Amino acid sequence: MGEELKVIVFSLAHEEYGIEVDKVRTIERLSPITRVPKTPSFIKGVINLRGIVVPVIDLRGRFGLEESATTENSRIIVVAVNEMEVGFIVDSANDVVDIDADTIDSPPEIVGGIKAKYLRGIAKFGDNRLLIMLNLSEVLNKNEIIQLEQLEV
């Protein structure tokens, strides 16, 4: 048995994804998002989260997936990336599970249309369930992080 990871499971376009719990700050219902001009289309804008301005990214748009209307299950998962908080819009946040780090395999080149660089790997858990583990540092590349930091000013 390897290291146990606690993972938040969320869905996006009928696939299950995971982010380690220790990288997640909070999970929020969708709230009004203030659009910011001259940002990539997948950066939806910013929200005021208890006095802190948090940039919000639509993960569907980031991964080049078809956009869909938000529902009452849609959530914003606020994560810490390089000492900065960023919100990800997801279809739903479903569960917290324990995953054995040894069960995470390297990602294939493309999973569900998403390039491997955005993925940490594929974890097997439960009854033949697969969980796509995100590589948060690649989901936001350095140029985008600089852009997002400028939004906070």
Side-chain angles (χ1 to χ4, degrees):
M1 282 293 274
E3 178 187 359
E4 281 279 306
L5 298 174
K6 277 214 176 303
V7 175
I8 300 271
V9 178
F10 65 91
S11 64
L12 203 62
H14 308 295
E15 299 288 342
E16 287 187 307
Y17 293 82
I19 299 175
E20 291 94 340
V21 165
D22 62 355
K23 297 196 171 46
V24 175
R25 293 288 183 250
T26 182
I27 299 173
E28 302 287 329
R29 290 187 177 276
L30 279 180
S31 56
I33 297 172
T34 304
R35 185 86 181 115
V36 178
K38 297 184 181 166
T39 56
S41 62
F42 62 85
I43 298 177
K44 292 303 177 192
V46 294
I47 58 171
N48 180 343
L49 189 61
R50 294 180 273 291
I52 298 170
V53 175
V54 177
V56 177
I57 290 175
D58 182 354
L59 274 187
R60 280 178 171 261
R62 178 66 180 118
F63 293 156
L65 301 172
E66 185 178 318
E67 284 196 34
S68 75
T70 57
T71 69
E72 67 179 45
N73 292 327
S74 298
R75 295 288 182 266
I76 297 175
I77 299 179
V78 179
V79 299
V81 179
N82 299 329
E83 297 173 30
M84 183 183 145
E85 291 189 357
V86 179
F88 293 141
I89 298 174
V90 301
D91 294 348
S92 65
N94 306 327
D95 212 352
V96 177
V97 297
D98 290 319
I99 291 181
D100 183 346
D102 291 342
T103 67
I104 300 175
D105 293 333
S106 297
E109 279 306 300
I110 292 190
V111 175
I114 299 171
K115 294 182 185 77
K117 73 176 186 172
Y118 298 136
L119 310 178
R120 173 177 166 194
I122 307 292
K124 299 178 207 85
F125 75 106
D127 296 327
N128 298 320
R129 285 171 73 187
L130 294 177
L131 189 62
I132 303 166
M133 300 294 295
L134 291 188
N135 178 348
L136 292 181
S137 60
E138 281 298 329
V139 171
L140 294 170
N141 70 33
K142 287 179 179 38
N143 292 337
E144 288 157 356
I145 290 171
I146 290 166
Q147 264 190 315
L148 290 175
E149 285 171 342
Q150 292 168 347
L151 296 181
E152 293 184 354
V153 181

